[in-house]
Amino acid sequence: LVGTSIIKVVAPEGGAAAVVTADTERAAREQLEKQGAGRQQTMGRPMSGAIEEIPLPDLLQLLSTSRKSGVLQVNNGTSVGKIYLRKGQLYFAAINDDFTVNPQKAIYRMLTWLTGTFELEPSVELQVLEEIQESTEGLLMEGMRQLDEFRNLQRQLPPMGSPLAVPTPLAGKLRDLSHGELDTFQLVLDHGSLQKVLDSYPGTDLDAAQNLINLMKREFVVVP
């Protein structure tokens, strides 16, 4: 990375080094001049690439450092995320234009995407009720911490599309549950699926997952 430009060096076939002569140098200069003539037409092209080559945390750090404004659109093949930047500051985010999910939660989820494409689109000022106040560095640090912990817990959870249910009779007393566990229990009653519970929980996916695991261990919640 040089500024906001991505430069890739590719070895020629066979790995043989090219011999620079006056003729090849002249040809290279002419080629550069031809490219320079069309440079104005390409200057307005958006920044784009693959997150396999530039992981999203590195990309967001780059955009923050260079104080870029715009909408970073990330497509992982099944979902499309949008991160809104204003002079390098992340102020909102959404996945599949679902504005009901907390913007920090949307960013933390996008940090888990390891494949896909990105494109920085021109700046569009979005008026939202809840702007992100944390710094980009703080968001990325917290996001990576939560990602590591969530991956450790995920093996104790069913697949994301799994239904959830409350058995009858209950295995214990509701008064024995914490406030977070009670909120999660209510979401299971209201929505009945793991993904919906995570989406609707007011806190982080990590907190919701921990509450669900506790409820499942004590048989307040089951997978039918």
Side-chain angles (χ1 to χ4, degrees):
L1 301 177
V2 179
T4 58
S5 299
I6 304 164
I7 300 175
K8 180 184 289 188
V9 180
V10 181
E13 288 188 20
V19 178
V20 178
T21 65
D23 289 339
T24 57
E25 185 177 355
R26 188 181 306 111
R29 186 181 298 112
E30 291 174 356
Q31 182 65 23
L32 286 174
E33 289 173 353
K34 290 178 182 178
Q35 292 175 353
R39 186 172 298 166
Q40 284 299 114
Q41 298 177 1
T42 61
M43 287 292 286
R45 293 179 61 187
M47 178 182 178
S48 61
I51 57 179
E52 294 95 327
E53 297 180 358
I54 307 179
L56 197 53
D58 295 343
L59 178 60
L60 291 173
Q61 185 67 53
L62 170 66
L63 296 175
S64 173
T65 303
S66 56
R67 296 180 59 80
K68 286 289 185 180
S69 296
V71 182
L72 181 66
Q73 182 166 292
V74 187
N75 188 333
N76 73 346
T78 57
S79 297
V80 176
K82 294 180 181 178
I83 300 175
Y84 296 81
L85 300 109
R86 183 192 299 123
K87 295 182 179 179
Q89 173 63 40
L90 283 66
Y91 70 93
F92 195 75
I95 298 175
N96 296 329
D97 291 328
D98 184 0
F99 288 1
T100 63
V101 175
N102 180 282
Q104 286 96 331
K105 184 182 292 189
I107 288 180
Y108 295 156
R109 287 184 181 178
M110 280 185 264
L111 291 178
T112 67
W113 298 355
L114 301 178
T115 62
T117 60
F118 69 84
E119 183 172 305
L120 182 64
E121 299 177 342
S123 180
V124 176
E125 188 65 24
L126 187 68
Q127 300 297 324
V128 294
L129 295 176
E130 182 184 8
E131 288 197 2
I132 296 172
Q133 301 299 324
E134 293 93 333
S135 68
T136 300
E137 292 78 7
L139 276 173
L140 294 178
M141 289 179 62
E142 178 62 17
M144 298 311 293
R145 182 193 71 81
Q146 289 193 25
L147 174 59
D148 289 340
E149 293 192 28
F150 186 82
R151 283 176 173 166
N152 290 331
L153 291 177
Q154 199 165 15
R155 68 193 68 176
Q156 302 178 57
L157 292 171
M160 283 297 169
S162 299
L164 298 175
V166 174
T168 53
L170 290 176
K173 301 295 184 182
L174 291 177
R175 64 171 175 263
D176 295 332
L177 300 179
S178 68
H179 290 300
E181 291 168 346
L182 278 172
D183 289 343
T184 307
F185 181 83
Q186 179 70 53
L187 291 174
V188 172
L189 287 174
D190 291 344
H191 301 290
S193 76
L194 176 56
Q195 187 65 65
K196 286 291 186 181
V197 170
L198 294 179
D199 289 346
S200 303
Y201 188 76
T204 66
D205 286 344
L206 180 61
D207 290 338
Q210 185 63 69
N211 291 335
L212 273 173
I213 290 169
N214 292 339
L215 291 170
M216 293 172 69
K217 285 181 177 178
R218 296 162 69 181
E219 298 183 356
F220 281 94
V221 172
V222 297
V223 180

